[in-house]
Amino acid sequence: MQFTFTLPESLPQMTVKQFLEEQLLIPRKIRHFLRIKKNILINHKEVHWNEMVKPGDVCQLTFDEEDYPQKEILWGNPALIQEVYQDQHLIIVNKPEGMKTHGNQPDEIALLNHVSAYVGQTCYVVHRLDMETSGLVLFAKNPFILPILNRLLEKKEIAREYWAFVEGQVGSKELIFRDKIGRDRHDRRKRVVDSKNGQQAETHISRLKQFPNKTSLVRCKLKTGRTHQIRVHLSYHKHPILGDPLYNSRSKASRLMLHAFRLSFTHPLTLEKLSFTALSDTFETELKQNG
């Protein structure tokens, strides 16, 4: 694998060693390989580890098979992939409902396998969606970019916006739910509001539209990422999501009406501000029929 990119204008003063370690999060063993094999060039020239790099410098990195051994997974069906964005390092796809983001067993086929078949190489999950939820999912196309994207996710620099179609007319235009969430002792699949033993959770809700049949379309933004967080918070506050098989079994909707609508972040190498939106046909159809 070989990657060439220009160092960003915001780069603070640092050495080559610091750049590889602190900015690119390259593991120590692989940094060692880069140095002894002379597989890093700055402005097309070999460099010493203590040399300074600066904004505008062109960095070229070459990784061998022993640096990042190829991880083999089963190929899925590339025809199932709806691409939203792709470059040398990452791909964003629109996941359909009813499909796992990744399998729990080596022989289980999920979105990850379909994406890898579509790209033609093993990809890596950056974040996941519940099987019943549709929408935008980000994958790393190589193990070099994966820890960098993971750091963006941990620092909450990847913004995710969901749309949910819920029961009841949401009275306030803006709501914030901060109920702690824990495991349901009676059903291992579910989560519950647990003010004593639960984990901190914060969901921001914006009302997008109210419908005459006492339903509402809302936008949800997560400040934390607990399992089933949006589903639990909305259900607890008397606005369960239509079609939710766990938290709204009475609903007659054909699918869980929760969709990851927007994904926004700054590309860690190009510093380009990226923002993408996508809906699913089934979400739109159900919204029109029941809205």
Side-chain angles (χ1 to χ4, degrees):
M1 296 186 297
Q2 186 177 94
F3 305 113
T4 302
F5 52 92
T6 302
L7 275 56
E9 291 297 326
S10 60
L11 184 77
Q13 189 174 35
M14 62 178 58
T15 64
V16 171
K17 179 179 181 295
Q18 289 174 315
F19 176 66
L20 296 177
E21 182 178 355
E22 299 173 13
Q23 292 293 117
L24 300 184
L25 305 180
I26 296 176
R28 183 176 181 178
K29 178 182 177 181
I30 299 175
R31 295 200 308 271
H32 173 69
F33 287 150
L34 287 172
R35 182 171 60 84
I36 64 174
K37 296 175 183 177
K38 303 185 185 305
N39 274 350
I40 174 172
L41 301 178
I42 299 293
N43 298 324
H44 312 291
K45 298 178 182 178
E46 295 179 8
V47 290
H48 297 292
W49 237 225
N50 59 353
E51 284 187 39
M52 304 300 293
V53 293
K54 62 183 184 301
D57 283 348
V58 176
C59 177
Q60 179 179 303
L61 300 174
T62 302
F63 299 106
D64 298 335
E65 175 65 24
E66 65 178 324
D67 297 334
Y68 291 112
Q70 182 69 36
K71 179 182 177 183
E72 298 294 338
I73 66 172
L74 295 175
W75 256 211
N77 182 358
L80 298 178
I81 294 303
Q82 181 184 344
E83 177 189 325
V84 176
Y85 173 81
Q86 183 177 185
D87 63 23
Q88 186 181 14
H89 296 284
L90 56 91
I91 181 170
I92 298 170
V93 303
N94 191 13
K95 183 183 92 67
E97 75 280 6
M99 181 185 293
K100 289 184 177 180
T101 303
H102 58 82
N104 297 324
Q105 304 297 330
D107 61 347
E108 187 175 5
I109 301 297
L111 180 64
L112 172 62
N113 308 83
H114 303 314
V115 168
S116 297
Y118 180 84
V119 171
Q121 64 193 61
T122 299
C123 294
Y124 303 84
V125 176
V126 177
H127 70 96
R128 59 181 292 275
L129 294 178
D130 294 338
M131 183 173 73
E132 300 92 345
T133 304
S134 57
L136 298 177
V137 185
L138 170 64
F139 291 88
K141 289 177 59 178
N142 58 68
F144 159 63
I145 199 68
L146 180 62
I148 302 174
L149 294 173
N150 283 338
R151 179 173 61 182
L152 291 183
L153 192 67
E154 291 166 4
K155 294 172 68 176
K156 298 180 174 58
E157 293 178 4
I158 298 179
R160 289 178 284 168
E161 175 186 317
Y162 296 78
W163 281 12
F165 188 30
V166 303
E167 290 189 2
Q169 292 192 325
V170 178
S172 300
K173 191 169 183 179
E174 303 287 339
L175 293 167
I176 299 177
F177 300 145
R178 294 191 176 94
D179 316 279
K180 292 182 178 180
I181 294 176
R183 291 182 177 273
D184 188 326
R185 293 181 298 170
H186 307 291
D187 188 339
R188 59 182 300 181
R189 301 172 302 163
K190 299 176 68 173
R191 299 295 188 269
V192 294
V193 167
D194 184 344
S195 58
K196 183 178 180 181
N197 300 311
Q199 294 179 300
Q200 298 287 344
E202 184 173 329
T203 308
H204 291 227
I205 305 294
S206 301
R207 186 185 68 219
L208 297 177
K209 189 173 182 179
Q210 288 183 331
F211 298 98
N213 64 348
K214 297 183 179 179
T215 57
S216 302
L217 179 66
V218 297
R219 177 174 58 228
C220 311
K221 294 183 179 180
L222 298 174
K223 295 299 181 181
T224 54
R226 308 303 175 201
T227 299
H228 295 178
Q229 179 175 318
I230 294 174
R231 299 163 70 178
V232 171
H233 273 167
L234 285 169
S235 176
Y236 182 76
H237 288 276
K238 312 303 182 187
H239 294 293
I241 301 174
L242 273 68
D244 193 329
L246 287 179
Y247 305 99
N248 190 15
S249 58
R250 300 171 302 165
S251 173
K252 302 302 182 184
S254 62
R255 54 154 295 182
L256 171 69
M257 291 299 290
L258 179 63
H259 179 84
F261 174 71
R262 187 186 304 272
L263 189 64
S264 306
F265 59 97
T266 298
H267 196 294
L269 296 184
T270 67
L271 294 190
E272 181 183 3
K273 294 187 182 301
L274 303 176
S275 184
F276 305 97
T277 62
L279 271 176
S280 79
D281 292 340
T282 57
F283 189 96
E284 289 189 281
T285 299
E286 193 75 33
L287 191 63
K288 290 175 182 177
Q289 290 178 348
N290 293 284

